[in-house]
Amino acid sequence: MNDREVLEALYATVENRRDNPKEGSYTCYLLDKGIDKILKKVGEECSETFIAAKNDDNSETVYEIAALIYHLTVMMVKLGNPLADVLAELDKRSEETGHLNKF
């Protein structure tokens, strides 16, 4: 599975939990609690990513980045932001060479 497919599968899983709630699912818990709870978790994971990176702990940094991406995905689904839009924006930015201030 390539990187894009992994993100698409994650997004689809979160959408599926939204559309077909499953008892005991952490994703369903977050979606049910609402955007404030989701954003709190995004902030926590962001801070934990910063700390792991500052401490130069590669395995912990990777772990926290994955947690941050997961929580950002839950946020995107909750807000109705399609993954395709984010991927298109990243594709667009990758084609813009020499424009560091845009990225």
Side-chain angles (χ1 to χ4, degrees):
M1 195 179 287
N2 68 39
D3 298 342
R4 182 170 286 225
E5 290 170 335
V6 169
L7 291 174
E8 289 169 345
L10 173 59
Y11 193 90
T13 298
V14 175
E15 282 184 313
N16 183 272
R17 289 290 189 265
R18 178 197 63 201
D19 299 340
N20 304 291
K22 194 172 192 180
E23 189 174 335
S25 164
Y26 178 62
T27 302
C28 292
Y29 164 79
L30 289 173
L31 292 169
D32 186 53
K33 288 295 181 181
I35 196 64
D36 287 348
K37 179 66 172 180
I38 295 166
L39 293 176
K40 180 180 177 189
K41 289 302 297 178
V42 168
E44 288 174 13
E45 297 303 341
C46 191
S47 295
E48 291 169 2
T49 301
F50 291 162
I51 292 166
K54 179 195 73 65
N55 291 336
D56 200 26
D57 185 337
N58 188 58
S59 63
E60 186 68 16
T61 301
V62 168
Y63 179 86
E64 295 302 341
I65 289 169
L68 178 57
I69 290 171
Y70 162 76
H71 286 91
L72 285 170
T73 302
V74 174
M75 179 193 76
M76 288 166 39
V77 168
K78 183 68 174 178
L79 295 175
N81 298 127
L83 176 62
D85 290 356
V86 174
L87 295 175
E89 179 63 24
L90 289 171
D91 284 341
K92 183 177 101 178
R93 290 178 182 207
S94 72
E95 295 169 4
E96 296 175 358
T97 58
H99 300 289
L100 292 176
N101 60 339
K102 290 184 180 179
F103 195 68

